[in-house]
Amino acid sequence: MQKSAIKNGNIIMEEDALVPVTVREVQSNFSVYEALRVVNRQVVHLNDHIERLKASAAQIGLVLPSVPWQEWIDMLIEKDNLCDVTMRILVYGGSKAVVFITWQPLITYPDSYYTDGVAVTTYFGERFLPTCKTSNLLLSYLALNDAKSKGAFEALLVDRHNQVLEGTRSNFYALMGNTMFTAPDNEVLSGVTRISVLRAARQLGLDVVMRAVKLEELENADSMFISSTSMAAMPVSKLDGKTVPCDFPVILKIRDLVRKWEVE
Amino acid sequence: MQKSAIKNGNIIMEEDALVPVTVREVQSNFSVYEALRVVNRQVVHLNDHIERLKASAAQIGLVLPSVPWQEWIDMLIEKDNLCDVTMRILVYGGSKAVVFITWQPLITYPDSYYTDGVAVTTYFGERFLPTCKTSNLLLSYLALNDAKSKGAFEALLVDRHNQVLEGTRSNFYALMGNTMFTAPDNEVLSGVTRISVLRAARQLGLDVVMRAVKLEELENADSMFISSTSMAAMPVSKLDGKTVPCDFPVILKIRDLVRKWEVE
């Protein structure tokens, strides 16, 4: 099947979703993006994603055009008869902004990732404009490649103060006793799913503390997990090759609440 | 006239120098580049640029294909009958690397920029992998836009230690007495033109010290200038809106030597 895409409100063939390498905004990744879950033909948390897209754009001075997002997404769902997919909105700035919407099969993970946990590695590096979802992604790309080369699923980014802030495509949480630690909103990408994770944790009676834990503190953690639109909440069972403790039931309860609220 | 470009050794129309937004390496700016001066149909310092391209690629683990650079560049010079132009080599990594060579009219600057100096601003931010010429350029893009919005020609990037390391597309030098300061090679992009600037400075009897000056030290500078392939050596006459002293003759002597050695 020939996949379609949206460019500035028009249906195009996905293979025509192209940008010229001679344009400065392309050369300099002056662009913002969002990854969205479409479940049963419905976009999950569209408004939250669009709000974050707007916030990212505002932060770098990228002027977003006025777009009927729901309508454009529905055009693509209709055209390719999509049911469950992961969509990507990408907006390049410049004298005339260019908006792309593309899709791929829904990103899902084997059940064993949730029941056994995943392996993560650590990588020293700080995201430029951490609260902003731009295409300036080379650090994340290199960190994730490093993790994969070690057989791990995700890399956690560690800053100059040895703080474990977030993953390359996920937020990060550490449980110690009844307290759940996660970096404050101004130090990381405030994930759309993170909002649900925090709500779920509180509902389950955890104390939520918005403070990044240091790498050395992780030795005292009772559990760690990561979250993203695709993962919901995913338990971590290995850190830099070493098995770490994990309270699976509580993390899976968080996951289940996150997924439940998606379709409400 | 319809411009041409090179893609993987083939002549294409420049308007077809495109990359797909659905490819992870494009989304994550996993690419390296070089900007080259072509003067009188000859590429200036091609070997130095290719060496730096290779070093940049190696640093991020991008596997460069084996390319007959001179031959491909000559194909483009021949096809579009080019004499004096600025060329750009851009290589996207991935399972199959993609090489583009594009051109634009030779970047030159009015004589007054050299005789009167240019205005620069300062911008706090650190380049990721500073010795590496990748497309991870959002910081430079934003810093330069900020400079331009203030009527300045270039932005100087200042790090967490208040060190003035380099411009967004230039190296930076401060003269104090008979000493010329510039950041060490491991903290900045080691410009191809910078090699000539250092050689020229030494030939003119200056002591070269490879140490970045701090922002507050610039108050004691007798002169400042910036260098790049396009600029050679360009005097700075304003810093953050304030007029600063400048020994134009010595900087223009450096510029003249840099340009002379280009065509030797």
Side-chain angles (χ1 to χ4, degrees):
Chain A
M1 183 192 112
Q2 175 63 52
K3 286 169 80 181
S4 305
I6 299 278
K7 181 180 177 183
N8 290 345
N10 301 308
I11 297 270
I12 60 170
M13 287 191 293
E14 189 199 75
E15 64 189 34
D16 293 328
L18 302 163
V19 284
V21 300
T22 44
V23 166
R24 188 168 158 246
E25 283 70 26
V26 172
Q27 294 168 349
S28 304
N29 27 92
F30 186 59
S31 57
V32 292
Y33 74 101
E34 284 293 323
L36 309 148
R37 251 169 93 81
V38 175
V39 178
N40 198 20
R41 303 178 76 87
Q42 300 295 319
V43 191
V44 173
H45 298 315
L46 178 60
N47 288 343
D48 291 342
H49 283 285
I50 297 306
E51 283 311 305
R52 187 169 65 179
L53 187 77
K54 287 179 179 171
S56 296
Q59 211 179 326
I60 60 170
L62 188 161
V63 180
L64 274 189
S66 169
V67 167
W69 295 106
Q70 185 76 60
E71 189 185 309
W72 289 12
I73 288 169
D74 286 344
M75 279 169 61
L76 188 54
I77 289 174
E78 188 93 350
K79 176 70 173 65
D80 283 1
N81 194 23
L82 305 176
C83 187
D84 300 316
V85 296
T86 296
M87 274 196 180
R88 196 171 199 271
I89 293 175
L90 174 65
V91 185
Y92 278 95
S95 56
K96 214 176 152 194
V98 184
V99 179
F100 291 99
I101 307 175
T102 55
W103 67 269
Q104 58 176 306
L106 188 66
I107 300 173
T108 59
Y109 302 104
D111 282 347
S112 65
Y113 282 31
Y114 293 95
T115 54
D116 303 345
V118 293
V120 302
T121 52
T122 52
Y123 196 91
F124 284 85
E126 298 180 6
R127 289 178 53 237
F128 176 58
L129 304 177
T131 60
C132 199
K133 201 167 174 80
T134 74
S135 300
N136 202 64
L137 289 170
L138 186 58
L139 166 66
S140 301
Y141 180 92
L142 297 180
L144 185 56
N145 276 7
D146 178 70
K148 286 179 175 171
S149 75
K150 294 167 179 165
F153 172 74
E154 172 66 304
L156 303 178
L157 299 174
V158 183
D159 78 359
R160 66 189 79 172
H161 307 297
N162 234 25
Q163 294 186 116
V164 184
L165 292 180
E166 60 193 321
T168 67
R169 55 199 159 136
S170 61
N171 285 111
F172 174 72
Y173 313 82
L175 298 178
M176 298 190 199
N178 199 50
T179 304
M180 185 176 92
F181 292 90
T182 190
D185 284 346
N186 62 338
E187 293 182 9
V188 297
L189 195 68
S190 187
V192 167
T193 298
R194 190 166 116 113
I195 299 167
S196 296
V197 168
L198 299 180
R199 181 179 159 205
R202 290 186 179 111
Q203 186 159 315
L204 294 169
L206 294 168
D207 297 322
V208 174
V209 174
M210 304 298 276
R211 173 176 81 71
V213 293
K214 295 203 172 193
L215 192 48
E216 55 270 27
E217 288 181 280
L218 287 184
E219 289 175 19
N220 306 319
D222 298 312
S223 292
M224 302 174 214
F225 69 100
I226 52 181
S227 77
S228 79
T229 294
S230 301
M231 300 168 201
M234 185 171 282
V236 169
S237 56
K238 267 193 181 176
L239 177 69
D240 285 330
K242 282 169 63 178
T243 299
V244 290
C246 190
D247 183 352
F248 288 94
V250 70
I251 296 166
L252 297 183
K253 271 184 207 157
I254 292 173
R255 176 198 66 176
D256 293 343
L257 283 171
V258 168
R259 287 290 185 235
K260 178 175 157 230
W261 291 332
E262 278 184 0
V263 290
E264 271 181 1
Chain B
M1 182 192 114
Q2 176 63 52
K3 285 169 80 181
S4 306
I6 299 279
K7 181 180 177 183
N8 291 344
N10 301 307
I11 297 270
I12 60 169
M13 287 191 291
E14 189 198 74
E15 65 189 35
D16 293 328
L18 302 163
V19 284
V21 300
T22 45
V23 166
R24 190 168 158 247
E25 284 70 26
V26 172
Q27 294 169 349
S28 305
N29 29 90
F30 185 58
S31 57
V32 292
Y33 74 101
E34 285 292 324
L36 309 147
R37 251 169 93 82
V38 175
V39 179
N40 198 19
R41 302 177 77 87
Q42 300 296 320
V43 192
V44 173
H45 299 314
L46 178 60
N47 288 343
D48 291 342
H49 282 286
I50 297 305
E51 284 311 305
R52 186 168 67 178
L53 187 77
K54 287 179 179 172
S56 296
Q59 211 180 326
I60 61 171
L62 188 161
V63 180
L64 273 190
S66 169
V67 167
W69 295 106
Q70 185 75 60
E71 188 184 310
W72 289 11
I73 288 169
D74 286 344
M75 279 168 62
L76 188 54
I77 290 174
E78 188 92 352
K79 176 69 173 66
D80 283 1
N81 194 23
L82 306 176
C83 187
D84 300 316
V85 296
T86 296
M87 275 196 180
R88 196 171 198 270
I89 293 174
L90 174 65
V91 186
Y92 278 95
S95 56
K96 214 174 151 197
V98 184
V99 179
F100 291 99
I101 307 175
T102 54
W103 68 268
Q104 58 177 305
L106 188 66
I107 300 173
T108 58
Y109 302 103
D111 282 347
S112 64
Y113 283 31
Y114 293 96
T115 53
D116 302 345
V118 293
V120 302
T121 52
T122 52
Y123 197 91
F124 284 85
E126 299 180 5
R127 290 178 53 236
F128 176 57
L129 303 177
T131 60
C132 199
K133 203 168 174 78
T134 74
S135 301
N136 203 63
L137 289 169
L138 185 58
L139 166 66
S140 301
Y141 180 93
L142 297 180
L144 185 56
N145 276 7
D146 178 71
K148 286 179 174 170
S149 76
K150 294 167 178 165
F153 172 75
E154 173 65 306
L156 303 178
L157 300 173
V158 182
D159 76 0
R160 66 189 79 172
H161 307 297
N162 235 25
Q163 295 185 117
V164 184
L165 291 180
E166 60 193 322
T168 67
R169 55 199 159 135
S170 60
N171 286 111
F172 175 72
Y173 313 82
L175 298 177
M176 298 190 200
N178 199 49
T179 304
M180 185 176 92
F181 292 90
T182 190
D185 285 345
N186 61 338
E187 292 183 9
V188 296
L189 195 69
S190 186
V192 167
T193 298
R194 190 166 116 112
I195 298 166
S196 296
V197 168
L198 299 180
R199 182 179 158 205
R202 290 187 179 110
Q203 186 160 317
L204 293 170
L206 294 169
D207 297 322
V208 174
V209 174
M210 305 298 276
R211 173 176 82 71
V213 293
K214 295 204 173 193
L215 192 48
E216 56 270 27
E217 288 182 279
L218 286 184
E219 289 176 19
N220 306 319
D222 298 312
S223 292
M224 301 175 214
F225 68 100
I226 52 180
S227 77
S228 79
T229 294
S230 301
M231 301 168 200
M234 185 171 282
V236 169
S237 56
K238 268 192 180 178
L239 177 69
D240 285 330
K242 282 170 63 177
T243 300
V244 291
C246 191
D247 184 351
F248 288 95
V250 69
I251 296 165
L252 296 184
K253 271 183 207 157
I254 292 173
R255 176 198 65 178
D256 293 343
L257 283 171
V258 167
R259 286 290 186 236
K260 178 175 156 229
W261 292 332
E262 278 184 0
V263 290
E264 272 182 3

